[in-house]
Amino acid sequence: MKKSQELFNQLRILATEQINSRTQNIDTLDTIDIIGLINKEDARVAGAVRKELPAIAEAIELVVKAFKKGGRLIYVGAGTSGRLGILDASECPPTYGTDPGMVQGIIAGGKEAVFRSREGVEDNAGKGADEIRRLGVSVKDVVCGIAASFRTPFVAGAVQEAKRLGAKTVFITTNPRSILELSGFSEIRNAINVAICPNVGPEVIMGSTRMKAGTAQKMILNMMTTAAMIKMGKVYGNFMVDLRMNSRKLEERAKRIVMLSTGADYSTTSKTLRRAGGQAKTAIVMLQSGVSAAEARRRLKTTHGFVRQALNEGELT
């Protein structure tokens, strides 16, 4: 009974658990007015995220340092938060040509919970810690907890264990940073290197954190991996030059990227990509600098995969 009361008191103070005065009569409205209200509330999310840009940048620097040392970014969440982490992680290999292990997602309840809600599993902090140990988390890694409420036990347990093992830790929540200063949140507070806390306010439907909270989380995850991949040399201009040609669509996208980057025609680009082993950035250096695939790869290796520097190297020699 005491623990239930403690949880009740924790939830009572969270911004995402408050009543939204702007939507209290939403059940009386016509469809167009319902979605108009939802749209107005969604428009508040970008502003809340904007206020957290310094913290997001700090987290990205931790991730880039980890990647350069061969470490990983591991998301941990439950429910919507866990699914968003898995979604972001799963998009990195096709978009940026990363190894699937470089960015990973853990969700309370395992793979089954990705497709069907298993809400009770989020209450087990020990299971979160177990998952961190199972993945062999170490000082090289960054573990990013995602929880609208701060207090999700599975996520808190994972982040605390990661910190104990020497990993850097990030925590994304959608409640004010001031919540972390409360005594009931001291354990998780002490386990976090960087807290990202966009205050999205009460949800359209009280407590439905798949809405504004989920939108804010998705925006932040997009920023984290996109900026980190840019800083790892996987973007040239604003082209995803490390994409994998694993489908017809991605094959044609790669050709278009090379064509736009070099001015080459479709036929020349197709032949060059074949000689480049399907690697867009290699093909770009080949065409821009007039070099062989072997020389393009050498330059890219020397410049740690940065196309612009590889092109500049040719100008300096």
Side-chain angles (χ1 to χ4, degrees):
M1 183 68 177
K2 185 179 178 182
K3 286 196 173 184
S4 295
Q5 186 69 50
E6 287 176 1
L7 174 56
F8 179 86
N9 289 335
Q10 281 185 338
L11 292 175
R12 187 174 60 180
I13 63 174
L14 298 176
T16 48
E17 296 291 333
Q18 304 307 306
I19 297 172
N20 190 328
S21 61
R22 294 178 294 272
T23 64
Q24 279 185 284
N25 297 319
I26 198 167
D27 62 328
T28 69
L29 302 180
D30 292 335
T31 302
I32 190 66
D33 294 321
I34 290 172
I35 61 176
L37 266 182
I38 293 172
N39 182 247
K40 284 181 180 178
E41 290 298 308
D42 285 344
R44 300 172 185 271
V45 175
V49 171
R50 187 181 306 116
K51 292 177 181 178
E52 291 298 304
L53 292 181
I56 298 169
E58 189 178 349
I60 291 165
E61 292 301 327
L62 291 180
V63 172
V64 172
K65 286 179 183 177
F67 286 166
K68 288 182 176 179
K69 294 177 181 178
R72 302 166 292 176
L73 169 60
I74 299 169
Y75 294 127
V76 185
T80 298
S81 299
R83 294 181 193 102
L84 288 171
I86 288 172
L87 174 63
D88 194 69
S90 68
E91 292 289 350
C92 288
T95 307
Y96 297 111
T98 60
D99 184 279
M102 189 173 175
V103 183
Q104 299 183 44
I106 297 172
I107 185 170
K111 290 181 180 179
E112 182 182 335
V114 176
F115 303 100
R116 178 170 294 184
S117 178
R118 300 184 64 198
E119 297 299 333
V121 294
E122 71 176 41
D123 294 327
N124 195 324
K127 289 289 186 182
D130 289 345
E131 286 297 302
I132 292 300
R133 289 190 291 271
R134 181 183 66 80
L135 287 179
V137 167
S138 73
V139 295
K140 294 193 300 183
D141 300 317
V142 173
V143 172
C144 177
I146 314 168
S149 67
F150 276 124
R151 44 88 37 212
T152 306
F154 180 90
V155 180
V159 170
Q160 289 166 8
E161 181 65 9
K163 183 70 170 178
R164 188 187 71 80
L165 293 170
K168 296 298 183 184
T169 58
V170 176
F171 206 99
I172 301 172
T173 185
T174 45
N175 274 277
R177 187 171 271 98
S178 58
I179 297 289
L180 269 181
E181 301 304 318
L182 300 178
S183 59
F185 296 90
S186 60
E187 288 187 13
I188 187 62
R189 176 177 70 239
N190 294 332
I192 299 171
N193 289 111
V194 180
I196 301 172
C197 312
N199 182 9
V200 300
E203 292 287 3
V204 171
I205 307 301
M206 192 184 80
S208 182
T209 52
R210 71 186 184 90
M211 300 185 76
K212 290 192 296 182
T215 300
Q217 291 168 352
K218 180 67 168 69
M219 291 173 71
I220 293 165
L221 300 187
N222 284 349
M223 289 179 180
M224 284 179 61
T225 45
T226 300
M229 295 304 169
I230 290 169
K231 299 194 70 142
M232 291 298 292
K234 294 184 174 293
V235 173
Y236 170 53
N238 60 359
F239 297 130
M240 53 175 88
V241 289
D242 252 342
L243 82 168
R244 292 180 179 174
M245 293 167 47
N246 292 334
S247 69
R248 290 286 303 277
K249 180 188 76 173
L250 291 175
E251 183 178 341
E252 296 308 311
R253 179 178 289 163
K255 291 174 185 175
R256 188 161 184 267
I257 285 170
V258 174
M259 291 170 69
L260 290 170
S261 299
T262 65
D265 61 29
Y266 186 89
S267 176
T268 301
T269 294
S270 299
K271 292 174 183 176
T272 305
L273 269 170
R274 282 197 293 273
R275 294 202 301 273
Q279 297 172 333
K281 60 168 53 173
T282 302
I284 290 168
V285 175
M286 290 169 66
L287 289 166
Q288 288 275 56
S289 300
V291 298
S292 66
E295 172 61 12
R297 291 192 189 99
R298 185 199 67 76
R299 291 187 187 183
L300 287 164
K301 184 176 181 180
T302 300
T303 60
H304 305 288
F306 285 84
V307 172
R308 199 176 299 276
Q309 285 89 323
L311 295 173
N312 290 341
E313 181 189 302
E315 294 173 3
L316 296 173
T317 55

